[in-house]
Amino acid sequence: MNNCTKIKVGVLGATGTVGQRFIQLLENHQHFKVAVLGASANSKDKIYKDAVHWLLATPIPSDIANMKVHACDDIEAFNDCLIIFSALDASVATNLEKTFRIKGKAVFSNAKSHRYDSDVPIVVSSVNSDHIRCVQDQKKMYQGGFIVTNPNCSTTGVVVALKPIVATFGIKEVIVFTMQSVSGAGYPGVPSLDILGNVIPYIGEEEEKIEIETKKILGELSSSDGEQPSSSLKFNDHPMFVSAHTNRVPVSEGHTICLSIKLGREATVEEVSNVLKGYHKLTPPENCKLLISEPPLHVIDYPQTPNRPQPKLDLERGRGLTVTVGRIRGGSYQGGGSFDIRLTLLVHNTVLGAAGSSIQNAETCFKFGYIQ
Ligand SMILES: NC(=O)C1=CN([C@@H]2O[C@H](COP(=O)(O)OP(=O)(O)OC[C@H]3O[C@@H](n4cnc5c(N)ncnc54)[C@H](OP(=O)(O)O)[C@@H]3O)[C@@H](O)[C@H]2O)C=CC1
Ligand SMILES: N[C@@H](CC(=O)OP(=O)(O)O)C(=O)O
């Protein structure tokens, strides 16, 4: 596909923390071309390089730097775009994303606004891309338009690590303990005097999101029982019990998360470790340029390498699209107790935890023929 035949995409919130990742990850994309940039009224009519406070190590792509920024509610400006990537705050995303959907656009959102809608999936491509088929119902309702969300960034890491375990052994219960980076709060986010040399043991609504979203993502999409006449498919939450603790730590990028897991059936630490190591085999081989072709999970052996994953050393694995899991061990050193397995994982919050997952979801929809 050359630039003329690539699908035109619009990015809402293009100047923000997640918006910048969209711009970076979509540079030279095989199928998609950024055609329209959207941000707030403050950025409207500025050129991108003047509107953005660019925070990434790679330069602003040259074809984007001098593009004009539109207000996100200038819907007509996005007319030529088949795909809308949304990196908006939920307060603005709720209505705008619905407006773009009714205009027939394929909307891929990072915001929480529609994650819990009964006809909208929360998708991490390596975990539950089968849930994407529910967009067929939305397409019928909204003139070809649909919304696919990706989860909260911590939830993203959690479900990638849990998927192979739940699929093989079942899971009854999981405790999630997060150490979340400052970039998760957007820009400028948490004031430096609040976070430097400190830990903040509270992130608003984060624990609730992890508990709810994990169960929806790891649940099943089944045929409806007929209660919802407009819909033929229905989400059934996984029955596992999820309990989350969330904390903000003075790390710039990358969320580190500890899990304690009660399995559905007995298994050794070695069996669990082997299942996690084999997980990459679930992803079919793809043209390596697509983001969905990156391995979803990498395991660091424990106890051979006892002090990983670490944000400084492991965050960029698989272009930030690979979750790194380490410290896979038994539930307690004494034996007994409620939990069978403990592990530590690292997820790149603005790549796999945000823009990267949205792009992977768009690639999946393109592959399934939902975007034409
Ligand atoms: N940061 C992260 O790790 C993750 C964030 N998310 C979610 O992604 C979304 C974006 O987060 P993030 O990038 O961190 O946020 P930022 O605050 O960094 O960026 C917000 C973006 O939205 C634009 N914006 C703000 N208000 C309006 C408005 N009224 N109308 C139109 N555009 C507006 C801003 O434009 P301007 O520059 O003009 O003000 C900016 O482009 C949120 O829903 C967040 O919860 C999801 C996963 C991870
Ligand atoms: N709240 C997350 C970022 C995020 O994923 O938010 P949301 O669930 O609203 O997309 C953090 O601070 O790290």
Side-chain angles (χ1 to χ4, degrees):
M1 250 186 204
N2 60 33
N3 268 354
C4 302
T5 52
K6 284 184 183 178
I7 291 172
K8 288 184 181 165
V9 311
V11 180
L12 309 179
T15 51
T17 310
V18 175
Q20 293 179 35
R21 282 289 176 198
F22 273 117
I23 301 300
Q24 183 191 51
L25 292 168
L26 288 167
E27 186 176 13
N28 300 321
H29 192 276
Q30 201 179 334
H31 301 314
F32 309 142
K33 164 97 186 113
V34 175
V36 186
L37 304 172
S40 77
N42 290 339
S43 306
K44 181 182 173 226
D45 293 335
K46 291 183 184 164
I47 58 169
Y48 186 70
K49 67 180 180 197
D50 293 339
V52 71
H53 181 74
W54 188 256
L55 289 163
L56 302 178
T58 55
I60 302 175
S62 54
D63 56 332
I64 304 291
N66 290 311
M67 274 173 68
K68 185 174 114 170
V69 178
H70 294 264
C72 290
D73 56 6
D74 178 7
I75 309 296
E76 307 295 306
F78 295 84
N79 271 352
D80 288 345
C81 301
L82 277 184
I83 293 176
I84 301 293
F85 287 115
S86 170
L88 289 172
D89 187 74
S91 57
V92 253
T94 306
N95 288 332
L96 273 175
E97 291 176 359
K98 281 200 281 192
T99 304
F100 281 106
R101 175 171 64 180
I102 200 77
K103 290 270 176 194
K105 309 295 182 195
V107 180
F108 296 92
S109 172
N110 284 277
K112 67 176 180 187
S113 307
H114 299 291
R115 286 182 192 151
Y116 317 119
D117 293 3
S118 62
D119 57 354
V120 173
I122 314 176
V123 180
V124 177
S125 74
S126 67
V127 174
N128 65 330
S129 60
D130 59 306
H131 286 194
I132 277 184
R133 72 185 193 278
C134 76
V135 304
Q136 294 172 94
D137 286 346
Q138 290 189 64
K139 278 168 83 75
K140 283 182 211 144
M141 293 273 291
Y142 305 110
Q143 308 181 49
F146 60 86
I147 298 173
V148 171
T149 63
N150 45 273
N152 167 271
C153 42
S154 296
T155 310
T156 303
V158 170
V159 294
V160 170
L162 291 185
K163 175 66 185 191
I165 300 176
V166 76
T168 312
F169 309 107
I171 292 176
K172 288 186 179 151
E173 201 170 325
V174 58
I175 293 186
V176 179
F177 175 95
T178 73
M179 290 161 276
Q180 299 183 213
S181 68
V182 181
S183 62
Y187 187 83
V190 190
S192 53
L193 280 181
D194 286 350
I195 193 68
L196 284 174
N198 201 14
V199 169
I200 301 172
Y202 174 73
I203 303 173
E205 292 180 55
E206 197 79 352
E207 293 171 351
E208 294 87 333
K209 285 186 221 170
I210 293 170
E211 293 178 7
I212 295 168
E213 293 172 20
T214 298
K215 289 159 68 79
K216 180 168 177 177
I217 294 163
L218 295 176
E220 283 180 3
L221 181 62
S222 64
S223 294
S224 159
D225 53 12
E227 277 170 25
Q228 298 165 292
S230 59
S231 166
S232 59
L233 294 166
K234 178 171 170 269
F235 295 102
N236 303 295
D237 283 354
H238 192 283
M240 71 174 66
F241 175 77
V242 185
S243 172
H245 308 251
T246 59
N247 304 280
R248 186 76 69 198
V249 297
V251 167
S252 56
E253 198 108 75
H255 292 356
T256 305
I257 305 175
C258 300
L259 303 181
S260 286
I261 303 163
K262 183 171 179 56
L263 300 174
R265 69 166 167 86
E266 257 183 41
T268 63
V269 170
E270 195 187 2
E271 283 173 317
V272 172
S273 184
N274 285 339
V275 160
L276 284 161
K277 283 181 186 168
Y279 187 41
H280 66 277
K281 295 187 183 118
L282 298 176
T283 306
E286 284 284 345
N287 182 323
C288 65
K289 284 185 193 155
L290 291 178
L291 271 56
I292 44 173
S293 66
E294 291 296 341
L297 203 142
H298 176 85
V299 174
I300 296 179
D301 281 323
Y302 182 83
Q304 294 85 337
T305 308
N307 60 353
R308 304 273 285 277
Q310 294 179 21
K312 267 193 181 176
L313 303 175
D314 298 302
L315 194 62
E316 299 303 326
R317 184 165 280 115
R319 292 189 279 173
L321 293 154
T322 302
V323 170
T324 303
V325 174
R327 307 212 63 217
I328 304 171
R329 61 206 192 282
S332 81
Y333 293 113
Q334 287 84 20
S338 298
F339 294 97
D340 303 302
I341 295 290
R342 283 175 291 175
L343 58 82
T344 302
L345 68 92
L346 174 70
V347 58
H348 197 312
N349 54 294
T350 59
V351 180
L352 188 72
S357 269
S358 273
I359 298 170
Q360 289 183 324
N361 289 340
E363 290 174 350
T364 304
C365 283
F366 180 74
K367 194 174 80 176
F368 289 174
Y370 297 141
I371 304 169
Q372 282 150 348

